[in-house]
Amino acid sequence: IDYSESQGRETQARSNLEQAAPTTTEVGHGNPTTYCYVVVRADLSPGKAVAQVVHAVGEAAHAPHPEGTHAVVLSVPDEASLLSVAQRLLCACQPYHLIHEPDLSDSGSVAPDGRAVPPGQFTAIGLPLVTDRKPLKRLLGRLPLWSPA
């Protein structure tokens, strides 16, 4: 896969999706529980994974997180699996932010199994806040919760 070409297509598709998709359910006072979903790669070191989760939450946040927001951090084994999830979200017209980390290996990023993680990888997906989890459970329900290696 040519990731530079893939990234360009993904950016254009996301732009089209954001223009065409209905806005996310408004959240705040008096509304049901709010959820913040993130999908992160399990082959990153725990410190790198946490940093990528923060990036994903920041990119996906279109409004302040209401008090009591539940965070759901799911994992995929590697970059190919992450891109597969992004494709499923795109096909379902579910808004998301795919996080690309060009300097990931600048500090010698090593996966929990000892492999070096190449630079310029996609690392996480952040989703806008939701109050209705049903569509996301259908798309992401088989992914395990993230846990440090």
Side-chain angles (χ1 to χ4, degrees), residues 40-55 101 104 107-112 123 146-149:
V40 68
R41 290 172 40 187
D43 64 342
L44 301 175
S45 67
K48 295 283 185 183
V50 169
Q52 298 312 303
V53 167
V54 170
H55 284 311
E101 191 64 58
L104 183 66
S107 60
S109 185
V110 176
T123 56
W146 177 82
S147 67

Side-chain angles (χ1 to χ4, degrees), residues 16-142:
N16 293 343
L17 177 63
E18 288 171 352
Q19 290 173 5
T23 56
T24 304
T25 305
E26 287 201 27
V27 293
H29 301 294
N31 285 335
T33 303
T34 304
Y35 297 89
C36 176
Y37 277 81
V38 173
V39 180
V40 68
R41 290 172 40 187
D43 64 342
L44 301 175
S45 67
K48 295 283 185 183
V50 169
Q52 298 312 303
V53 167
V54 170
H55 284 311
V57 169
E59 289 289 324
H62 294 292
H65 289 78
E67 190 172 323
T69 296
H70 292 249
V72 181
V73 181
L74 305 171
S75 68
V76 293
D78 51 30
E79 186 184 41
S81 300
L82 187 74
L83 293 172
S84 176
V85 169
Q87 184 63 40
R88 273 188 288 173
L89 293 167
L90 182 64
C91 288
C93 295
Q94 175 64 50
Y96 67 94
H97 294 272
L98 184 59
I99 305 302
H100 178 254
E101 191 64 58
D103 61 349
L104 183 66
S105 67
D106 283 356
S107 60
S109 185
V110 176
D113 65 4
R115 292 179 299 108
V117 177
Q121 299 262 314
F122 291 101
T123 56
I125 295 172
L127 294 112
L129 298 176
V130 298
T131 55
D132 180 5
R133 299 190 311 161
K134 289 177 189 166
L136 292 180
K137 281 188 164 193
R138 187 175 38 81
L139 295 165
L140 306 174
R142 291 196 169 127

